[in-house]
Amino acid sequence: MAASDARADCSEAALPAALADVPELARLLEIDPYLKPFAMDFQRRYKRFKETLNNIGENEGGIDKFSRGYESFGVHTCADGGLYCKEWAPGAEGVFLTGDFNDWNPFSYPYKKLDYGKWELYIPPKRNKSLLVPHGSKLKVVIRSKSGEILYRISPWAKYVTREGDNVNYDWIHWDPEHPYKFKHSKPTKPRGLRIYESHVGISSYEGKIASYKHFTCNVLPRIKDLGYNCIQMMAIMEHAYYASFGYQITSFFAASSRYGTPEELKELVDTAHSMGITVLLDVVHSHASKNSEDGLNMFDGTDSCYFHSGPRGNHDLWDSRLFAYSSWEVLRFLLSNIRWWLEEYGFDGFRFDGVTSMLYHHHGIGQGFSGDYHEYFGLQVDEDALIYLMLANHLIHTLYPDSITVAEDVSGMPAVCSPISQGGVGFDYRLAMAIPDKWIQLLKEFKDEDWNMGNIVYTLTNRRYLEKCIAYAESHDQALVGDKTLAFWLMDAEMYTNMSVLTPFTPVIDRGIQLHKMIRLITHALGGEGYLNFMGNEFGHPEWLDFPRKGNNESYHYARRQFHLTDDDLLRYKFLNNFDRDMNKLEERCGWLSAPQAYVSEKHEANKIIAFERAGLLFIFNFHPSKSYTDYRVGTTLPGKYPFCC
């Protein structure tokens, strides 16, 4: 008997028990009957999720209390002026606190060892009641390892770290301002159709420097609002020592990046966005962590484990980073508390979870093609520790703030990632439709216009799981990075530098490039998903790639910027792409196709290169033919009547 047949027979026998254990599994199997052979997998995952949740309840007083780790761990000024400190360092022989406050004496304030690898310290207040550790003071945790080595570390719970001058490593700064920022505006209503502007604060200026939170608040937020986006996804906010990592090698998980400004200025940014009705998502990186030990989590207690798996399982070979031990009790506390911290301290409205594919599988997606065979998504290759953590994270987020939004960056297409936890799913609201940008790049790179396959385009744009919402995008930050090309570059290349002036005649390259740039974005927006994403600057065909300062470019900031001023110049054609992007978003806002059921495609004509479809009461007709236009072209429609021409 084949393994698949044996699984089907076993699953059929065990199906009643699975349906009894998972409250709404029947609904999932009704939506996709092909998942029936894997009912036991959903049952096991859901039971592990419930068991973990119940264990948290029995041992910690519930996930609400468990996810407030930042209220006790780290360093805290007490009401009496004293200092309470707590760390988890199971591999340490001794833990101490040092800093400006004690003239950097490494051993004058030892922590007391508690159970389960925890350490705590209380320092009584000064006699004159002045602050023991003033706001802005430098601190370090001192670890005595089992081998006797003395290690200076930044607390994993540090809320602000910064690098001074030419220093290589970051310093931990005690952040406790006398007048913290007070939020003035309530959170906006959850968008009906999500239109995301993927943003990076540091590159948001046209100048060759790192831009600030203040700059983004004053100069970029109004542009985003004007373009009709109702959501921003903030990249590279969690502190990362290496700027060129694009924010994906996190060193301090509770600290907002100091290279752009202070925590209070980030809060003002989020608050200002809320005043404009803009939802703000954080690009959260819980899939891995930087290998830095001096100013990161790695080797915190002198061992290669602590927050991570020990040995090879704790290393990501492709990213050269550390991998979390998601089944560890204190790692769960740390990561869930980190989620809550960004929601409550900074007012974020949700998260885009980076590297979900790497989390879901022991092979981390490395060298995997993911054909769509369901057996690829179940079995021993799945890292169920990480999967259970993601279920817990989504449960926490949506329990605290039901209108929060979570997006999974998953290229594998695992079923039920965006299904409710009650169905046995992981609980995300959306997943990124990552095949779509790859398809557009493939067409522009490998095929002549006349060889574009209309059926294949439609298939890529509509190939998504029923009732699992997708964020469609024609391109993101990945395509903007040096070594790759944006759509505008693939379409117009060097002519963007010479022929984008309205004072010069249209060349065939620029004419084709502008038209296809518009068409690709509109058909992706209208047909590709239940949400839409654009990376900052790509909406107007930004004429430069993105390259962060590094040794290979002599630490230059020239390409780590966005030239928004190009759209303000009436003599340049970038304004036409910018205006089209605005009109496209405004039309969606008015008609709501992103929140409408999936489109009905009535025509995909290969010879005529026509794609026609209906969605949200609108009729979309795209002519991709490189040389033919049509008059009185006939297409079928669901409803008779006159359809006004929009664009």
Side-chain angles (χ1 to χ4, degrees):
M1 181 183 289
S4 58
D5 294 334
R7 173 184 272 275
D9 291 344
C10 180
S11 182
E12 196 67 39
L15 185 58
L19 292 171
D21 286 337
V22 186
E24 298 178 22
L25 179 60
R27 175 58 177 151
L28 180 66
L29 302 184
E30 178 189 352
I31 294 167
D32 186 354
Y34 291 102
L35 289 174
K36 273 189 179 181
F38 308 98
M40 290 175 64
D41 295 84
F42 289 110
Q43 178 190 29
R44 184 180 61 256
R45 294 172 182 179
Y46 184 80
K47 286 180 73 174
R48 280 197 59 190
F49 160 74
K50 290 295 289 184
E51 286 168 6
T52 306
L53 203 58
N54 290 337
N55 286 339
I56 290 172
E58 291 172 8
N59 295 286
E60 299 282 352
I63 197 169
D64 179 73
K65 185 177 178 182
F66 187 62
S67 61
R68 296 176 182 268
Y70 51 82
E71 293 181 355
S72 58
F73 284 83
V75 172
H76 302 272
T77 302
C78 303
D80 64 0
L83 207 68
Y84 179 77
C85 315
K86 191 175 183 181
E87 297 295 344
W88 178 61
E93 279 295 309
V95 179
F96 310 84
L97 186 71
T98 188
D100 293 335
F101 76 102
N102 71 341
D103 294 324
W104 293 96
N105 183 324
F107 307 121
S108 61
Y109 288 103
Y111 285 62
K112 175 186 174 184
K113 189 172 185 179
L114 307 175
D115 293 335
Y116 308 113
K118 298 174 190 173
W119 302 77
E120 73 172 358
L121 166 67
Y122 173 72
I123 306 176
K126 292 181 178 180
R127 290 181 179 178
N128 63 5
K129 300 298 182 181
S130 64
L131 288 175
L132 189 66
V133 179
H135 169 66
S137 301
K138 291 182 182 178
L139 294 169
K140 278 287 175 75
V141 173
V142 180
I143 302 288
R144 180 187 286 130
S145 72
K146 292 188 183 298
S147 65
E149 189 178 3
I150 301 301
L151 308 169
Y152 285 80
R153 295 289 189 250
I154 291 175
S155 170
W157 304 82
K159 298 175 177 64
Y160 187 66
V161 297
T162 188
R163 184 162 52 194
E164 293 183 350
D166 295 327
N167 290 354
V168 174
N169 295 322
Y170 274 70
D171 291 313
W172 171 20
I173 307 297
H174 183 57
W175 192 261
D176 189 17
E178 185 179 356
H179 302 291
Y181 184 84
K182 302 290 186 184
F183 286 90
K184 304 176 183 68
H185 306 283
S186 58
K187 289 174 174 283
T189 304
K190 186 176 182 178
R192 190 179 53 151
L194 204 57
R195 302 183 297 275
I196 304 173
Y197 199 78
E198 190 181 30
S199 304
H200 187 291
V201 170
I203 65 170
S204 63
S205 168
Y206 71 90
E207 300 176 79
K209 66 177 185 180
I210 297 176
S212 67
Y213 294 126
K214 284 281 191 184
H215 170 84
F216 192 94
T217 301
C218 297
N219 297 287
V220 183
L221 282 180
R223 289 184 180 273
I224 296 171
K225 176 67 175 176
D226 177 65
L227 283 168
Y229 290 93
N230 56 17
C231 178
I232 54 175
Q233 176 188 306
M234 303 297 297
M235 306 175 64
I237 294 297
M238 301 167 74
E239 190 60 271
H240 48 292
Y242 184 41
Y243 188 43
S245 73
F246 222 143
Y248 292 121
Q249 294 271 346
I250 305 301
T251 44
S252 291
F253 283 75
F254 285 82
S257 183
S258 61
R259 56 172 54 88
Y260 318 129
T262 69
E264 312 315 303
E265 289 166 346
L266 174 57
K267 293 172 188 176
E268 182 185 29
L269 188 161
V270 174
D271 198 24
T272 304
H274 286 167
S275 74
M276 297 177 175
I278 297 174
T279 295
V280 188
L281 305 183
L282 176 70
D283 203 348
V284 70
V285 186
H286 283 180
S287 49
H288 64 131
S290 168
K291 274 190 172 179
N292 288 21
S293 56
E294 293 286 334
D295 52 8
L297 276 184
N298 191 26
M299 304 288 290
F300 174 68
D301 64 354
T303 71
D304 76 332
S305 53
C306 198
Y307 287 92
F308 308 107
H309 291 293
S310 183
R313 190 182 174 190
N315 294 297
H316 196 295
D317 295 333
L318 200 61
W319 295 342
D320 192 31
S321 54
R322 299 303 314 274
L323 298 172
F324 287 105
Y326 297 104
S327 62
S328 166
W329 193 261
E330 293 303 326
V331 172
L332 280 180
R333 186 199 307 276
F334 179 79
L335 294 176
L336 291 173
S337 296
N338 190 235
I339 289 289
R340 185 168 192 155
W341 170 256
W342 293 106
L343 288 172
E344 304 220 329
E345 182 70 13
Y346 288 92
F348 282 97
D349 304 298
F351 303 92
R352 178 261 202 189
F353 279 74
D354 177 69
V356 168
T357 304
S358 175
M359 297 174 72
L360 290 175
Y361 306 96
H362 291 295
H363 53 62
H364 308 300
I366 299 173
Q368 303 296 313
F370 293 110
S371 65
D373 185 328
Y374 277 11
H375 291 85
E376 296 172 339
Y377 307 121
F378 303 93
L380 295 178
Q381 67 268 33
V382 176
D383 187 342
E384 292 198 350
D385 292 343
L387 189 145
I388 299 309
Y389 162 67
L390 290 171
M391 293 173 74
L392 288 166
N394 275 298
H395 171 76
L396 174 68
I397 293 163
H398 292 113
T399 299
L400 289 175
Y401 298 98
D403 285 344
S404 291
I405 296 166
T406 57
V407 182
E409 189 212 21
D410 171 41
V411 72
S412 75
M414 176 183 276
V417 162
C418 295
S419 296
I421 294 171
S422 58
Q423 294 180 9
V426 185
F428 283 99
D429 296 299
Y430 298 88
R431 70 181 348 135
L432 293 178
M434 301 179 73
I436 295 175
D438 292 342
K439 174 54 62 179
W440 291 123
I441 296 298
Q442 181 195 37
L443 288 172
L444 294 172
K445 185 178 180 180
E446 300 176 11
F447 293 89
K448 297 177 182 178
D449 292 1
E450 56 267 28
D451 295 331
W452 285 21
N453 185 296
M454 300 296 103
N456 190 246
I457 291 172
V458 169
Y459 174 79
T460 303
L461 289 169
T462 58
N463 181 28
R464 52 189 184 272
R465 294 187 56 78
Y466 180 55
L467 296 182
E468 293 194 44
K469 294 187 287 188
C470 285
I471 304 291
Y473 58 108
E475 55 186 341
S476 68
H477 68 273
D478 290 323
Q479 288 72 40
L481 286 168
V482 64
D484 208 335
K485 284 185 176 182
T486 63
L487 291 180
F489 257 111
W490 280 112
L491 289 164
M492 297 177 280
D493 210 28
E495 286 205 24
M496 284 203 295
Y497 297 113
T498 57
N499 295 319
M500 286 298 276
S501 170
V502 297
L503 302 178
T504 61
F506 259 128
T507 66
V509 169
I510 296 297
D511 191 16
R512 168 184 176 270
I514 286 178
Q515 305 316 320
L516 276 178
H517 194 275
K518 294 177 180 178
M519 292 174 68
I520 287 170
R521 299 178 101 73
L522 179 57
I523 196 171
T524 300
H525 204 311
L527 188 58
E530 291 71 38
Y532 177 76
L533 177 142
N534 167 69
F535 177 64
M536 60 190 309
N538 285 357
E539 70 275 5
F540 64 85
H542 195 278
E544 287 178 350
W545 55 87
L546 183 59
D547 191 11
F548 287 91
R550 53 189 174 84
K551 286 183 179 179
N553 65 10
N554 295 318
E555 303 296 337
S556 172
Y557 286 86
H558 180 75
Y559 294 108
R561 59 178 183 155
R562 298 279 93 177
Q563 300 185 68
F564 290 110
H565 64 285
L566 296 176
T567 65
D568 300 328
D569 192 333
D570 283 336
L571 296 180
L572 295 177
R573 293 186 168 113
Y574 294 105
K575 66 179 181 181
F576 300 132
L577 296 175
N578 193 74
N579 294 344
F580 181 84
D581 199 70
R582 179 197 299 116
D583 294 343
M584 179 173 67
N585 284 323
K586 298 290 187 183
L587 182 62
E588 195 289 322
E589 184 176 14
R590 193 165 75 245
C591 300
W593 63 68
L594 290 173
S595 56
Q598 191 162 324
Y600 174 73
V601 181
S602 57
E603 183 166 328
K604 38 191 175 181
H605 199 295
E606 299 301 339
N608 294 342
K609 301 299 179 191
I610 296 288
I611 295 174
F613 61 88
E614 295 172 73
R615 193 176 187 188
L618 299 176
L619 172 63
F620 294 85
I621 307 174
F622 291 85
N623 176 14
F624 282 98
H625 203 289
S627 59
K628 286 184 181 179
S629 58
Y630 305 96
T631 55
D632 299 326
Y633 196 90
R634 295 169 65 88
V635 294
T637 61
T638 305
L639 299 172
K642 292 185 177 181
Y643 289 78
F645 181 74
C646 290
C647 56

